[in-house]
Amino acid sequence: MTPMTTEGEKATTPAGSAKRAMVGRLSWGLADQAASSISNFVVGIYVARSLGVTAFGVFSLAWVTYGVVLNVSRGLATDPLVVRFSGVSEASWRGAVARSSGTALGVGAVIGAACLVAGLALGGRLGPAFACLGVMLPGLLLQDAWRFSFFAAGAGRKAFVNDVVWGVALVPAMVVAAHAGSVAAFVLAWGASATVAAAYGYLQSGIRPRVTEARGWLGEQRDLGYRYLVENVSLSGASQLRAYGLGAIVGVGAVGAVRGAELLLGPFLAVLMGLSLVTVPEAARVLRQAPHRLGRFCLLLGGGQASAALLWGGALLLMPDRLGEFVLGDVWHSSARLIVPVTLAVAGAGLGTGAAAGLRALGAARRSLRSQLFASACYVSGGLGGAAVAGTVGSAWGVATATVSGSAVWWLHLRAALRERHHHPIPEVRTS
């Protein structure tokens, strides 16, 4: 009996070690996302309380614009990195990181210059905020690129430390911005603290971003990169169109109200925004080591996200008005009535991210692109159609309906992609 037990233990040791390693990487991913969530939440709350609903709406438009640019950078630079260079040799990873981070830095410089010019031309309330955003974009995008790079290497601890550095740098920056009392000052404070973390990321990795090799990286990754670019921009672009459209139909205050409701679910929204930092590399590892478990992994991931969002939203409904006013100030009264539809929207998005991670790991860029284009079209039409019919509340319910519908399409495409894989390999997946 003893020899058999020993053999059994030896046989299960590699599997047990692999599971422990995955749990460790996911734990660091959750810790990193917690740090990112707290930073984003604190910034949003601090700005909302300091500026009021209208000025907070202006800040939210700058934030949404940053989200579009961030997704451009991810699609071109770091999404291909996590798909093709997760769990590879250190030499291969370092070379890829130098080129992908250089690409992210180049994207920040080019689009940042355009934002600066546009901001100077706009003037008024929006102009200074967009001009400051343009100056800060290179640092913001480089910091995000380091996070992707560390997770691709399975070094989530470094990503967590980098986000903590950003959070610590935010504290004095926000205090200074509060004394200035303008949207532009808060944008500068937010971006400057990210630049500090970006500089620290260089010290952590010892890798110098090579902007001059960005063209080569784009050429090498064009089969995935440009599809991911369209996919990511359709996602963030839909959010931007909805925000601008809502502002035009209802008013800038409505944008602030929606953003306030989203802040209340901030921990989950922040996780969803950066979920690919953890889930795509892990899904890629599952695909290489135990491909038959990929579907279950994605289902657990998406179901867990959706369930957690619903529980959090339920807790928010029980929050007394006095506490809500303490958190959001004057924004609370406009945001409280949006908690139910925003919660359902976040839950639907969380469910869909499980399928999205699986499609990314499979390298099924055509299917993920189709899914995202459908989801984005539903998001814009639901958000703006709802706003035209029933104002801010109608927009929130339209987005909730659209998000749940989009999630169903993601899962249908993942199911089809898993079936296809049994018949022929996906040529888009490679690691060198």
Side-chain angles (χ1 to χ4, degrees), residues 331-345:
V331 179
W332 163 255
H333 299 288
S334 302
S335 300
R337 55 186 182 149
L338 307 179
I339 290 176
V340 172
V342 170
T343 296
L344 293 175

Side-chain angles (χ1 to χ4, degrees), residues 372-400:
Q372 188 56 66
L373 289 176
F374 175 83
S376 297
C378 288
Y379 184 94
V380 173
S381 58
L384 298 186
V389 173
T392 309
V393 175
S395 179
W397 278 107
V399 166

Side-chain angles (χ1 to χ4, degrees), residues 397-409:
W397 278 107
V399 166
T401 303
T403 305
V404 173
S405 301
S407 178
V409 172

Side-chain angles (χ1 to χ4, degrees), residues 183-332:
V183 177
F186 279 105
V187 173
L188 283 175
W190 167 51
S193 54
T195 302
V196 170
Y200 183 66
Y202 167 72
L203 297 177
Q204 287 178 292
S205 65
I207 300 173
R208 181 169 62 87
R210 298 185 179 275
V211 180
T212 56
E213 296 186 16
R215 180 175 295 182
W217 174 262
L218 294 175
E220 293 171 10
Q221 310 300 328
R222 63 182 178 275
D223 57 334
L224 290 186
Y226 292 115
R227 287 174 182 166
Y228 288 159
L229 169 65
V230 176
E231 180 181 329
N232 289 355
V233 170
S234 71
L235 169 63
S236 53
S239 298
Q240 190 174 30
L241 286 174
R242 187 256 184 134
Y244 284 129
L246 183 60
I249 296 170
V250 185
V252 177
V255 181
V258 170
R259 177 61 184 157
E262 291 174 346
L263 276 175
L264 296 173
L265 285 120
F268 300 99
L269 288 171
V271 168
L272 291 177
M273 286 178 63
L275 202 58
S276 59
L277 292 170
V278 184
T279 57
V280 175
E282 289 306 319
R285 289 186 178 94
V286 171
L287 180 63
R288 294 188 184 104
Q289 297 169 5
H292 61 285
R293 295 179 180 173
L294 180 61
R296 182 182 178 187
F297 173 83
C298 295
L299 183 60
L300 290 173
L301 173 67
Q305 285 287 318
S307 299
L310 290 173
L311 288 173
W312 184 269
L316 289 176
L317 291 174
L318 302 176
M319 187 166 67
D321 287 339
R322 182 176 298 179
L323 181 57
E325 291 171 0
F326 174 78
V327 173
L328 288 179
D330 293 339
V331 179
W332 163 255

